[in-house]
Amino acid sequence: MSSRIAVVPGSFDPPTLGHLDVIRRAAKLYDELHVLVVHNPGKEAMLPIAQRLTLLEKSIAEDEGCGENIVVGSWSMGLLVDYAREVNAGVLVKGIRSQVDVAYESPMAIVNRHLADVETVFMLPDPSHAMVSSSLVRQVAGLGGDVAPFVPPAVAAFLDTGARGL
Ligand code: PNS
């Protein structure tokens, strides 16, 4: 599998400015970057996968910093590494905000390497996004707060139109 092709996987429920920062910077490092909405069996989702995919596509298309080498998709057919094999990606890129993220991501990185010899690269967020998480955004949006400082404009507009009741 190619070390020039990478996947940024995640629940993206919803996409945040932290996600966009990692996507933007990872796209500069690889020839081809797949941003993939993946079903996380351990989490109860707020938004259906199709909605998260639409928001991610719109957020990336509207972001001037995102290059032309980004492919957006979704995967709910099985293992993440099966998708990596399908697109010949040798690298997974994950954003790491804290030691909590390191503890959460490390076992997955080790398992994915054993399953398919795929390397995981951890990227530190820009400090301005270090405290942003989808779960906080869900909570703030659910309680009627303004999430615009934490999410791309397309996501803020969507959450603002009352669709958060989904
Ligand atoms: O944004 P998240 O929820 O932290 O992303 C986690 C995700 C979806 C990338 C992870 O749960 C995942 O890879 N799910 C696919 C199932 C899989 O491949 N599991 C085995 C390796 S961990």
Side-chain angles (χ1 to χ4, degrees):
M1 290 194 280
S2 171
S3 59
R4 301 302 316 149
I5 304 175
V7 181
V8 178
S11 297
F12 300 108
D13 186 34
T16 67
L17 290 179
H19 292 132
L20 211 51
D21 171 49
V22 169
I23 291 165
R24 207 184 282 141
R25 288 159 56 210
K28 293 197 176 100
L29 297 177
Y30 298 96
D31 294 340
E32 193 177 307
L33 189 75
H34 294 256
V35 182
L36 195 67
V37 181
V38 186
H39 170 64
N40 183 338
K43 286 183 183 171
E44 196 185 327
M46 172 179 76
L47 302 172
I49 285 189
Q51 186 62 63
R52 291 181 248 161
L53 181 62
T54 302
L55 291 174
L56 202 49
E57 280 171 338
K58 206 153 184 242
S59 301
I60 290 170
E62 288 175 357
D63 187 82
E64 285 181 5
C66 284
E68 297 293 313
N69 59 337
I70 300 175
V71 179
V72 186
S74 66
W75 188 247
S76 50
M77 311 265 293
L79 291 169
L80 171 60
V81 293
D82 291 337
Y83 178 87
R85 279 199 194 97
E86 203 164 286
V87 299
N88 195 33
V91 181
L92 305 175
V93 178
K94 299 280 192 90
I96 289 287
R97 291 160 300 188
S98 66
Q99 288 302 322
V100 175
D101 283 350
V102 175
Y104 171 69
E105 295 290 351
S106 298
M108 290 196 271
I110 291 165
V111 166
N112 285 328
R113 195 162 64 80
H114 279 285
L115 285 172
D117 203 20
V118 173
E119 291 290 352
T120 298
V121 169
F122 292 141
M123 189 175 269
L124 294 177
D126 185 272
S128 58
H129 305 309
M131 304 316 285
V132 178
S133 68
S134 293
S135 60
L136 266 180
V137 169
R138 289 197 297 274
Q139 195 175 110
V140 172
L143 295 170
D146 179 19
V147 294
F150 314 119
V151 296
V155 176
F158 173 78
L159 293 175
D160 208 33
T161 54
R164 60 179 170 255
L166 277 172

